[in-house]
Amino acid sequence: MSGIVLSYGESCTIFSPSLISSDGDILSPKPWKLISSTKEASFRIFDLRTDRARSPRTDQVHDFYVLESTDWVNVIPITPENQVVLIRQFRHGTREVTLEIPGGIVEPD
């Protein structure tokens, strides 16, 4: 990926050449115009929505798939011995047991 590095050190920011104006200024991305939004399905923990939007740069229309969810929380528990507590959990999407930080859906009041 080619671009311009504006800062360096522990972290760096790389900007695509398409976001740099001819005089070197950084261009802010413009919002995409929403053409339509359709709720496709509702599941136990999230809804699936399809948004159709027009690119302000190319004027082309694209579909975007959005997962809408209730709030959830993840925690990084650290023991008095400075060890991070992880859990093993089977994930259906990957069909594997994964090692991850604990978390879950926030119950409504």
Side-chain angles (χ1 to χ4, degrees), residues 61-72:
V61 174
H62 300 274
D63 288 338
F64 296 89
Y65 303 96
V66 181
L67 291 177
E68 296 177 315
S69 173
T70 60
D71 291 339
W72 72 69

Side-chain angles (χ1 to χ4, degrees), residues 40-78:
E40 301 291 344
S42 183
F43 302 97
R44 185 173 55 88
I45 60 171
F46 64 84
D47 294 336
L48 175 63
R49 184 182 86 221
T50 301
D51 285 354
R52 179 164 277 213
R54 183 177 308 279
S55 167
R57 189 173 56 83
T58 66
D59 207 36
Q60 292 182 328
V61 174
H62 300 274
D63 288 338
F64 296 89
Y65 303 96
V66 181
L67 291 177
E68 296 177 315
S69 173
T70 60
D71 291 339
W72 72 69
V73 64
N74 289 95
V75 295
I76 304 174
I78 300 175

Side-chain angles (χ1 to χ4, degrees), residues 1-5 13-21 25-27:
M1 173 181 182
S2 63
I4 297 173
V5 177
T13 305
I14 298 176
F15 288 90
S16 166
S18 65
L19 296 177
I20 308 296
S21 71
D25 291 333
I26 298 171
L27 303 174

